[in-house]
Amino acid sequence: MARRALKLASWTSMALAASGFYLYSNKYLDPNDFGAVRVGRAVATTAVISYDYLTSLRNVSYGSEEYLQLLSKVHLRSAGRLCELCCANRGTFIKVGQHLGALDYLLPQEYTSTLKVLHSQAPQSSMQEIRQVIREDLGKEMLVLAVKWLFPEFEFMWLVDEAKKNMPLELDFLNEGRNAEKVAQMLKHFDFLKVPRIYWELSTKRVLLMEFLEGGQVNDRHYMERNKIDVNEISRHLGKIYSEMIFVNGFVHCDPHPGNVLVRKHPGTGKAEIILLDHGLYQVLTEEFRLDYCHLWQSLIWTDMKRVQKYSQRLGAGDLYPLLACMLTARSWESINRGIDRVPVTATEDLEIRDNAANYLPQISQLLNHVPRQMLLIFKTNDLLRGIEGALGTRASASSFLNMSRCCIRALAVHKKKNTCSFFRRTQISFSEAFNLWQINLHELILHVKGSRLSSWVLALLCWLFSAPH
């Protein structure tokens, strides 16, 4: 038995040695291709971070100045280790790191400032690796292009091999190109949105050639100030784009981290423009989910707490509906009850949300296990958008909520019209839609007047009139 075990061990060692030799002698293979290496590295990094927190803060009085200084240093060290892990493991780890780097309103500043590097400076492939992929894929595609030229009826270029249908869609560049064209067509009425053009004749499953566009990252306030771009206008435009995707079309770009959303002044018109990149990951919402989500947001915006409870529970929240409302809006339950379109975000509220997030992790985990799977990418999208708004100083503005409400009204009206054959009923729905949109416009005008100089002038005039001697 011992001899057999020794023999097996020797054969295993030889196999591992041979595999290792092949791995390191092959220019295009990487140790990170093995899941065990990536998992092992993640476990080791987690252990080191946990040990650092436990030992560094063990003998310091909680809440003291020394504690806070040490905590900041541990945060910074841990964020650095986490960033190194993401860069080493690449793939999904980069995506997670990019997401965390955008959560300014939720995570400690040490983490977000460190991980933000992944938005625009993620590990890059060498030119040698890129050339190899282009040679391999375009070499094979030239034959298909030739066949298509000879036989115009041949329309199978974009079909994905049946054997690879379970590969992650985000790694399929043809799928990404199709998504880019679909969203460009879907939102063509927004003259402030630019989606890069795809060059299909030079694109394959692993190679995507698109129009080159320059701009600053959407969370780079200094870039916008230098280029005289209004941050409030950009925030409003971004809200309109994503509200239209989520509520009206149910086709949602799910990776709006700042490296994927650029801003610029249009070379011809000089108007502010948003460039949307990386169309690999989209969420297609079912009609039932989309309509329930519309009703939920309408209830949140108009502070109808009974309907907030009703539609949160329809979306699987159960008794945790207040937590779902807080997670979607990134606002406290008190602010939601007072009206998220009327109560501005304060530093105190931000601090409260950060402090309480860790305390509610078990409930958050329970909620995530019960909501529809579509909701998970919606959460990710919302988090990234809130992070951008936080960086621009425009978070949770009344204008963004009212734009969402407009989209909800339109989406619900379209659904009602589609499900009735009565001309009278369709006309009634159209009048109701127009009236509700008019109400929102009036409400927005009142809020604008209240926040403008005109409001202070009118108040001063009234005070002068009533205080003047008769």
Short mmCIF file of all heavy atoms in Angstrom, two decimals, residues 239-284:
data_model
loop_
_atom_site.label_atom_id
_atom_site.label_comp_id
_atom_site.label_asym_id
_atom_site.label_seq_id
_atom_site.Cartn_x
_atom_site.Cartn_y
_atom_site.Cartn_z
N GLY A 239 -29.19 60.34 -15.17
CA GLY A 239 -30.44 59.85 -14.58
C GLY A 239 -31.48 59.55 -15.63
O GLY A 239 -32.18 58.53 -15.56
N LYS A 240 -31.57 60.40 -16.65
CA LYS A 240 -32.55 60.18 -17.73
C LYS A 240 -32.22 58.91 -18.52
O LYS A 240 -33.11 58.12 -18.84
CB LYS A 240 -32.55 61.39 -18.68
CG LYS A 240 -33.22 62.62 -18.13
CD LYS A 240 -33.15 63.77 -19.12
CE LYS A 240 -33.79 65.03 -18.54
NZ LYS A 240 -33.69 66.18 -19.48
N ILE A 241 -30.93 58.71 -18.80
CA ILE A 241 -30.51 57.53 -19.57
C ILE A 241 -30.91 56.25 -18.85
O ILE A 241 -31.53 55.36 -19.42
CB ILE A 241 -28.99 57.57 -19.82
CG1 ILE A 241 -28.63 58.68 -20.81
CG2 ILE A 241 -28.49 56.21 -20.33
CD1 ILE A 241 -27.13 58.96 -20.89
N TYR A 242 -30.55 56.18 -17.57
CA TYR A 242 -30.79 54.93 -16.83
C TYR A 242 -32.26 54.75 -16.45
O TYR A 242 -32.75 53.62 -16.39
CB TYR A 242 -29.86 54.84 -15.62
CG TYR A 242 -28.52 54.31 -16.04
CD1 TYR A 242 -27.51 55.16 -16.47
CD2 TYR A 242 -28.27 52.94 -16.08
CE1 TYR A 242 -26.29 54.67 -16.90
CE2 TYR A 242 -27.07 52.44 -16.50
CZ TYR A 242 -26.08 53.31 -16.92
OH TYR A 242 -24.87 52.81 -17.36
N SER A 243 -32.98 55.83 -16.23
CA SER A 243 -34.42 55.71 -15.97
C SER A 243 -35.14 55.17 -17.19
O SER A 243 -36.04 54.33 -17.09
CB SER A 243 -35.00 57.08 -15.58
OG SER A 243 -34.50 57.50 -14.34
N GLU A 244 -34.73 55.66 -18.36
CA GLU A 244 -35.33 55.17 -19.62
C GLU A 244 -35.03 53.69 -19.82
O GLU A 244 -35.90 52.91 -20.20
CB GLU A 244 -34.77 55.99 -20.79
CG GLU A 244 -35.51 55.81 -22.09
CD GLU A 244 -36.73 56.71 -22.23
OE1 GLU A 244 -36.91 57.61 -21.39
OE2 GLU A 244 -37.48 56.52 -23.19
N MET A 245 -33.79 53.29 -19.54
CA MET A 245 -33.41 51.88 -19.68
C MET A 245 -34.23 50.99 -18.75
O MET A 245 -34.78 49.97 -19.17
CB MET A 245 -31.93 51.69 -19.34
CG MET A 245 -30.95 52.17 -20.36
SD MET A 245 -29.28 51.77 -19.76
CE MET A 245 -28.27 52.59 -20.97
N ILE A 246 -34.29 51.38 -17.47
CA ILE A 246 -34.89 50.52 -16.46
C ILE A 246 -36.41 50.49 -16.56
O ILE A 246 -37.02 49.43 -16.67
CB ILE A 246 -34.47 50.98 -15.05
CG1 ILE A 246 -32.96 50.77 -14.84
CG2 ILE A 246 -35.24 50.21 -13.97
CD1 ILE A 246 -32.40 51.42 -13.59
N PHE A 247 -37.04 51.66 -16.53
CA PHE A 247 -38.49 51.72 -16.40
C PHE A 247 -39.24 51.58 -17.72
O PHE A 247 -40.30 50.97 -17.77
CB PHE A 247 -38.90 53.02 -15.71
CG PHE A 247 -38.33 53.19 -14.34
CD1 PHE A 247 -37.40 54.18 -14.06
CD2 PHE A 247 -38.70 52.33 -13.31
CE1 PHE A 247 -36.87 54.33 -12.79
CE2 PHE A 247 -38.17 52.48 -12.03
CZ PHE A 247 -37.25 53.47 -11.78
N VAL A 248 -38.68 52.14 -18.79
CA VAL A 248 -39.40 52.15 -20.06
C VAL A 248 -39.06 50.95 -20.94
O VAL A 248 -39.96 50.27 -21.46
CB VAL A 248 -39.12 53.47 -20.83
CG1 VAL A 248 -39.85 53.46 -22.18
CG2 VAL A 248 -39.54 54.67 -19.99
N ASN A 249 -37.76 50.65 -21.06
CA ASN A 249 -37.34 49.59 -21.99
C ASN A 249 -37.04 48.25 -21.33
O ASN A 249 -37.07 47.22 -22.00
CB ASN A 249 -36.11 50.06 -22.78
CG ASN A 249 -36.40 51.26 -23.64
OD1 ASN A 249 -37.05 51.15 -24.67
ND2 ASN A 249 -35.95 52.44 -23.22
N GLY A 250 -36.68 48.25 -20.06
CA GLY A 250 -36.35 47.00 -19.40
C GLY A 250 -35.08 46.35 -19.94
O GLY A 250 -34.90 45.14 -19.87
N PHE A 251 -34.18 47.17 -20.47
CA PHE A 251 -32.90 46.69 -21.02
C PHE A 251 -31.82 47.59 -20.41
O PHE A 251 -31.67 48.74 -20.80
CB PHE A 251 -32.91 46.79 -22.54
CG PHE A 251 -31.69 46.20 -23.21
CD1 PHE A 251 -31.46 44.83 -23.21
CD2 PHE A 251 -30.79 47.02 -23.87
CE1 PHE A 251 -30.35 44.29 -23.84
CE2 PHE A 251 -29.67 46.49 -24.50
CZ PHE A 251 -29.47 45.11 -24.49
N VAL A 252 -31.07 47.05 -19.43
CA VAL A 252 -30.29 47.91 -18.54
C VAL A 252 -28.80 47.61 -18.62
O VAL A 252 -28.36 46.48 -18.40
CB VAL A 252 -30.75 47.72 -17.07
CG1 VAL A 252 -30.11 48.78 -16.18
CG2 VAL A 252 -32.27 47.76 -16.95
N HIS A 253 -28.01 48.64 -18.91
CA HIS A 253 -26.55 48.58 -18.85
C HIS A 253 -26.16 48.44 -17.39
O HIS A 253 -26.46 49.30 -16.57
CB HIS A 253 -25.98 49.87 -19.45
CG HIS A 253 -24.49 49.97 -19.43
ND1 HIS A 253 -23.80 50.45 -18.35
CD2 HIS A 253 -23.55 49.66 -20.36
CE1 HIS A 253 -22.49 50.44 -18.61
NE2 HIS A 253 -22.32 49.97 -19.83
N CYS A 254 -25.49 47.34 -17.05
CA CYS A 254 -25.28 47.01 -15.64
C CYS A 254 -23.86 47.22 -15.14
O CYS A 254 -23.48 46.66 -14.12
CB CYS A 254 -25.71 45.56 -15.38
SG CYS A 254 -27.49 45.37 -15.36
N ASP A 255 -23.06 48.01 -15.84
CA ASP A 255 -21.70 48.24 -15.35
C ASP A 255 -21.30 49.71 -15.53
O ASP A 255 -20.29 50.01 -16.16
CB ASP A 255 -20.73 47.32 -16.10
CG ASP A 255 -19.44 47.08 -15.31
OD1 ASP A 255 -19.42 47.39 -14.10
OD2 ASP A 255 -18.46 46.60 -15.90
N PRO A 256 -22.08 50.64 -14.93
CA PRO A 256 -21.77 52.05 -15.14
C PRO A 256 -20.72 52.60 -14.18
O PRO A 256 -20.89 53.67 -13.61
CB PRO A 256 -23.14 52.72 -14.89
CG PRO A 256 -23.76 51.86 -13.84
CD PRO A 256 -23.31 50.45 -14.14
N HIS A 257 -19.62 51.84 -13.97
CA HIS A 257 -18.57 52.41 -13.13
C HIS A 257 -17.90 53.55 -13.89
O HIS A 257 -17.98 53.61 -15.13
CB HIS A 257 -17.60 51.33 -12.65
CG HIS A 257 -16.68 50.77 -13.69
ND1 HIS A 257 -15.66 51.51 -14.26
CD2 HIS A 257 -16.63 49.56 -14.28
CE1 HIS A 257 -15.00 50.77 -15.13
NE2 HIS A 257 -15.58 49.58 -15.17
N PRO A 258 -17.24 54.47 -13.20
CA PRO A 258 -16.75 55.70 -13.85
C PRO A 258 -15.81 55.47 -15.03
O PRO A 258 -15.71 56.35 -15.89
CB PRO A 258 -16.03 56.43 -12.71
CG PRO A 258 -16.74 55.97 -11.48
CD PRO A 258 -17.07 54.53 -11.73
N GLY A 259 -15.14 54.32 -15.10
CA GLY A 259 -14.28 54.06 -16.25
C GLY A 259 -15.07 53.73 -17.51
O GLY A 259 -14.53 53.79 -18.62
N ASN A 260 -16.35 53.42 -17.36
CA ASN A 260 -17.20 53.07 -18.51
C ASN A 260 -18.12 54.20 -18.94
O ASN A 260 -18.88 54.04 -19.91
CB ASN A 260 -18.06 51.84 -18.17
CG ASN A 260 -17.26 50.56 -18.13
OD1 ASN A 260 -16.16 50.50 -18.67
ND2 ASN A 260 -17.80 49.54 -17.50
N VAL A 261 -18.10 55.32 -18.23
CA VAL A 261 -18.95 56.46 -18.58
C VAL A 261 -18.05 57.69 -18.67
O VAL A 261 -17.49 58.14 -17.67
CB VAL A 261 -20.07 56.69 -17.55
CG1 VAL A 261 -21.02 57.78 -18.03
CG2 VAL A 261 -20.84 55.40 -17.27
N LEU A 262 -17.91 58.22 -19.88
CA LEU A 262 -17.07 59.40 -20.10
C LEU A 262 -17.94 60.60 -20.42
O LEU A 262 -19.10 60.46 -20.83
CB LEU A 262 -16.09 59.15 -21.26
CG LEU A 262 -15.21 57.91 -21.19
CD1 LEU A 262 -14.29 57.84 -22.41
CD2 LEU A 262 -14.40 57.89 -19.90
N VAL A 263 -17.39 61.79 -20.23
CA VAL A 263 -18.09 63.03 -20.59
C VAL A 263 -17.15 63.88 -21.45
O VAL A 263 -15.93 63.82 -21.30
CB VAL A 263 -18.55 63.81 -19.35
CG1 VAL A 263 -19.60 63.04 -18.59
CG2 VAL A 263 -17.38 64.16 -18.43
N ARG A 264 -17.75 64.66 -22.32
CA ARG A 264 -16.95 65.56 -23.16
C ARG A 264 -17.87 66.65 -23.71
O ARG A 264 -19.10 66.58 -23.57
CB ARG A 264 -16.33 64.79 -24.33
CG ARG A 264 -17.35 64.30 -25.35
CD ARG A 264 -16.69 63.77 -26.61
NE ARG A 264 -17.69 63.40 -27.61
CZ ARG A 264 -17.39 62.96 -28.83
NH1 ARG A 264 -16.12 62.82 -29.19
NH2 ARG A 264 -18.35 62.66 -29.70
N LYS A 265 -17.26 67.64 -24.32
CA LYS A 265 -18.02 68.61 -25.10
C LYS A 265 -18.02 68.14 -26.55
O LYS A 265 -16.96 67.83 -27.10
CB LYS A 265 -17.41 70.01 -24.98
CG LYS A 265 -17.79 70.73 -23.70
CD LYS A 265 -17.58 72.21 -23.81
CE LYS A 265 -18.23 72.94 -22.64
NZ LYS A 265 -18.05 74.39 -22.72
N HIS A 266 -19.20 68.08 -27.15
CA HIS A 266 -19.30 67.61 -28.53
C HIS A 266 -18.43 68.50 -29.43
O HIS A 266 -18.52 69.74 -29.37
CB HIS A 266 -20.75 67.66 -29.00
CG HIS A 266 -20.99 67.01 -30.32
ND1 HIS A 266 -20.70 67.64 -31.52
CD2 HIS A 266 -21.46 65.79 -30.65
CE1 HIS A 266 -21.00 66.85 -32.52
NE2 HIS A 266 -21.46 65.71 -32.02
N PRO A 267 -17.57 67.88 -30.27
CA PRO A 267 -16.65 68.68 -31.10
C PRO A 267 -17.36 69.68 -32.00
O PRO A 267 -16.83 70.75 -32.29
CB PRO A 267 -15.93 67.61 -31.94
CG PRO A 267 -16.10 66.33 -31.18
CD PRO A 267 -17.40 66.44 -30.46
N GLY A 268 -18.57 69.34 -32.45
CA GLY A 268 -19.28 70.22 -33.37
C GLY A 268 -20.14 71.25 -32.68
O GLY A 268 -20.05 72.45 -32.96
N THR A 269 -20.98 70.80 -31.75
CA THR A 269 -21.96 71.70 -31.13
C THR A 269 -21.47 72.36 -29.85
O THR A 269 -21.99 73.39 -29.44
CB THR A 269 -23.25 70.91 -30.79
OG1 THR A 269 -22.94 69.91 -29.81
CG2 THR A 269 -23.81 70.23 -32.04
N GLY A 270 -20.47 71.76 -29.19
CA GLY A 270 -19.99 72.29 -27.93
C GLY A 270 -20.87 71.94 -26.74
O GLY A 270 -20.61 72.37 -25.61
N LYS A 271 -21.93 71.13 -26.98
CA LYS A 271 -22.82 70.72 -25.89
C LYS A 271 -22.22 69.55 -25.11
O LYS A 271 -21.45 68.75 -25.66
CB LYS A 271 -24.18 70.31 -26.46
CG LYS A 271 -24.99 71.47 -27.03
CD LYS A 271 -26.35 70.99 -27.51
CE LYS A 271 -27.18 72.16 -28.04
NZ LYS A 271 -28.51 71.69 -28.53
N ALA A 272 -22.60 69.44 -23.84
CA ALA A 272 -22.13 68.33 -23.00
C ALA A 272 -22.68 67.01 -23.53
O ALA A 272 -23.84 66.93 -23.92
CB ALA A 272 -22.56 68.55 -21.56
N GLU A 273 -21.82 66.00 -23.53
CA GLU A 273 -22.19 64.70 -24.09
C GLU A 273 -21.69 63.59 -23.18
O GLU A 273 -20.60 63.68 -22.62
CB GLU A 273 -21.58 64.56 -25.48
CG GLU A 273 -22.11 63.42 -26.30
CD GLU A 273 -21.59 63.47 -27.74
OE1 GLU A 273 -20.36 63.54 -27.92
OE2 GLU A 273 -22.40 63.44 -28.67
N ILE A 274 -22.49 62.53 -23.02
CA ILE A 274 -22.11 61.36 -22.24
C ILE A 274 -21.77 60.23 -23.20
O ILE A 274 -22.52 59.94 -24.13
CB ILE A 274 -23.24 60.92 -21.29
CG1 ILE A 274 -23.44 61.96 -20.19
CG2 ILE A 274 -22.94 59.56 -20.67
CD1 ILE A 274 -24.61 61.68 -19.26
N ILE A 275 -20.60 59.61 -22.98
CA ILE A 275 -20.16 58.47 -23.81
C ILE A 275 -20.30 57.21 -22.97
O ILE A 275 -19.72 57.12 -21.88
CB ILE A 275 -18.69 58.65 -24.26
CG1 ILE A 275 -18.53 59.94 -25.07
CG2 ILE A 275 -18.23 57.44 -25.08
CD1 ILE A 275 -17.07 60.33 -25.30
N LEU A 276 -21.06 56.25 -23.46
CA LEU A 276 -21.30 55.01 -22.72
C LEU A 276 -20.48 53.88 -23.34
O LEU A 276 -20.64 53.56 -24.51
CB LEU A 276 -22.79 54.67 -22.76
CG LEU A 276 -23.30 53.63 -21.74
CD1 LEU A 276 -23.00 54.07 -20.31
CD2 LEU A 276 -24.79 53.40 -21.92
N LEU A 277 -19.60 53.30 -22.52
CA LEU A 277 -18.70 52.23 -22.98
C LEU A 277 -19.05 50.90 -22.32
O LEU A 277 -19.86 50.85 -21.40
CB LEU A 277 -17.25 52.59 -22.63
CG LEU A 277 -16.71 53.94 -23.10
CD1 LEU A 277 -15.31 54.15 -22.56
CD2 LEU A 277 -16.72 54.02 -24.63
N ASP A 278 -18.41 49.83 -22.77
CA ASP A 278 -18.49 48.50 -22.18
C ASP A 278 -19.92 47.99 -22.10
O ASP A 278 -20.59 48.08 -21.07
CB ASP A 278 -17.85 48.47 -20.79
CG ASP A 278 -17.62 47.04 -20.31
OD1 ASP A 278 -18.13 46.10 -20.95
OD2 ASP A 278 -16.94 46.85 -19.29
N HIS A 279 -20.38 47.42 -23.21
CA HIS A 279 -21.77 46.97 -23.31
C HIS A 279 -21.88 45.45 -23.20
O HIS A 279 -22.83 44.84 -23.71
CB HIS A 279 -22.37 47.46 -24.62
CG HIS A 279 -22.38 48.95 -24.73
ND1 HIS A 279 -23.39 49.74 -24.26
CD2 HIS A 279 -21.45 49.82 -25.23
CE1 HIS A 279 -23.11 51.01 -24.47
NE2 HIS A 279 -21.93 51.09 -25.05
N GLY A 280 -20.94 44.84 -22.49
CA GLY A 280 -20.95 43.39 -22.36
C GLY A 280 -22.02 42.85 -21.45
O GLY A 280 -22.52 41.75 -21.65
N LEU A 281 -22.40 43.62 -20.43
CA LEU A 281 -23.33 43.11 -19.43
C LEU A 281 -24.61 43.95 -19.39
O LEU A 281 -24.59 45.10 -18.97
CB LEU A 281 -22.67 43.11 -18.05
CG LEU A 281 -23.49 42.51 -16.90
CD1 LEU A 281 -23.83 41.05 -17.17
CD2 LEU A 281 -22.74 42.63 -15.58
N TYR A 282 -25.71 43.36 -19.85
CA TYR A 282 -27.02 44.00 -19.79
C TYR A 282 -27.99 43.07 -19.08
O TYR A 282 -27.86 41.85 -19.13
CB TYR A 282 -27.55 44.30 -21.20
CG TYR A 282 -27.11 45.64 -21.72
CD1 TYR A 282 -25.82 45.82 -22.21
CD2 TYR A 282 -27.96 46.73 -21.70
CE1 TYR A 282 -25.39 47.05 -22.67
CE2 TYR A 282 -27.54 47.97 -22.16
CZ TYR A 282 -26.26 48.13 -22.64
OH TYR A 282 -25.84 49.36 -23.08
N GLN A 283 -28.95 43.67 -18.41
CA GLN A 283 -30.01 42.91 -17.75
C GLN A 283 -31.32 43.15 -18.50
O GLN A 283 -31.71 44.30 -18.74
CB GLN A 283 -30.16 43.38 -16.30
CG GLN A 283 -31.32 42.75 -15.55
CD GLN A 283 -31.06 41.30 -15.21
OE1 GLN A 283 -31.25 40.43 -16.04
NE2 GLN A 283 -30.61 41.04 -14.01
N VAL A 284 -31.97 42.07 -18.90
CA VAL A 284 -33.28 42.16 -19.56
C VAL A 284 -34.34 41.90 -18.49
O VAL A 284 -34.43 40.79 -17.96
CB VAL A 284 -33.41 41.15 -20.72
CG1 VAL A 284 -34.78 41.27 -21.38
CG2 VAL A 284 -32.31 41.38 -21.76
#
